[in-house]
Amino acid sequence: MYKTQAETRVFFDVFLPLVANSKHCDIVVAPPFTALDVAARATRGTSVAIAAQNVHGQKEGAFTGEICAPMIVEVGCTAVIIGHSERRQYYNESDEAVHRKTKAALEEGLTPIVCVGEILSEREGNLTEAVLKRQFEGGLGALTPDEFSRILLAYEPVWAIGTGRNATDGQAQEVHAFLREQIAKKWNKDFADRVRIQYGGSMKPDNARALLSQPDVDGGLIGGASLKAETFLPIATAAL
C-alpha cells in the first residue's frame, strides 16, 4: 500500500530509462489498484509489464470493494499476484480462495503469480514442507497442466516479509527444489523444470545475486526494495 498516482509517475520517470536495455530478465511491477492506469500508461511500449496485487475469484457480482479480472485486464495489466503472504496472514485467504482467483485470472489471460509460504512457528516446528504441500495441493493441484504452465510460483516465507530477515541461499534452494519436486510428482520432471519459481522475502541488492544464483530460484518477488529505483535496479541486474 505505497505510492499515489503522482508518486507512481515519478517512479517510472526514474526507473524506465535505467532498464531500457534490460533484456536478460522479465520485469513486472505491481502498484496498488488506484495507480494501475498511470503505471500502464507509463510503461506502454516498454518491456516492463504491470500486475495487480490481488483479484476476486468471480467475474462480476455484488462484492462491494472487490476488483475482478476483466477490470484488471482493461486497465492494462498482464499479470496478478495471488495468495500473497499478507493476504493469507491478515485477511485469512484460504487455499480454496487462491484456487478460485487463479482460475479467474487464467480465464482472462492474466499470468497469476501465485504465492506459497510458511509462518515462523511452522518453520521452527519443521512443518515447512507439510504447509507448502497443503498449499500446493489445495490452491494449485487441481489445475490442468496447461493452466499450471501459465502461472508463476513464488515462495514467500511469511516470517521474512517486512522483517528484514530472509531465507539463506540454502534454505531458499531447499524449498524451491521441494516445490519443483511436488510439480514433478503431479506431472513430470520436464514439466517441473519449465515452471518458474520466484523467491519473495526481503530480497535486497546485497543478497539478490546469491539467492538468484541457486539452481531452482528463477527470479524474485520484491517488496520494500522495489519502492525505489536505486534499490530495485541492482536486483534486476543481479539476475544476469
Side-chain angles (χ1 to χ4, degrees), residues 6 45 48 56 59 91 110 140 169 186 189 230 234:
V48 176
H56 195 272
K59 196 166 187 174
Y91 303 101
L110 290 162
L140 300 168
D169 311 341
K186 178 72 177 178
K189 184 178 184 301
E230 56 266 33

Side-chain angles (χ1 to χ4, degrees), residues 4-55:
T4 63
Q5 292 184 26
E7 290 168 336
T8 300
R9 290 189 188 95
V10 171
F11 171 84
F12 282 112
D13 285 345
V14 175
F15 184 66
L16 289 176
L18 298 176
V19 296
N21 297 316
S22 296
K23 308 298 182 186
H24 62 282
C25 67
D26 295 322
I27 299 174
V28 183
V29 181
F33 285 124
T34 53
L36 287 177
D37 181 63
V38 167
R41 291 174 186 272
T43 55
R44 192 167 294 154
T46 76
S47 60
V48 176
I50 301 300
Q53 296 180 5
N54 189 24
V55 67

Side-chain angles (χ1 to χ4, degrees), residues 18-102:
L18 298 176
V19 296
N21 297 316
S22 296
K23 308 298 182 186
H24 62 282
C25 67
D26 295 322
I27 299 174
V28 183
V29 181
F33 285 124
T34 53
L36 287 177
D37 181 63
V38 167
R41 291 174 186 272
T43 55
R44 192 167 294 154
T46 76
S47 60
V48 176
I50 301 300
Q53 296 180 5
N54 189 24
V55 67
H56 195 272
Q58 298 292 329
K59 196 166 187 174
E60 62 180 5
F63 303 102
T64 300
E66 294 294 321
I67 306 291
C68 63
M71 296 173 181
I72 291 170
V73 171
E74 184 183 40
V75 83
C77 292
T78 57
V80 58
I81 299 172
I82 295 174
H84 190 280
S85 61
E86 290 158 4
R87 300 297 311 177
R88 291 179 184 267
Q89 184 177 13
Y90 301 135
Y91 303 101
N92 300 313
E93 200 155 286
S94 66
D95 297 333
E96 182 183 356
V98 168
H99 175 73
R100 289 197 304 268
K101 292 182 177 191
T102 301

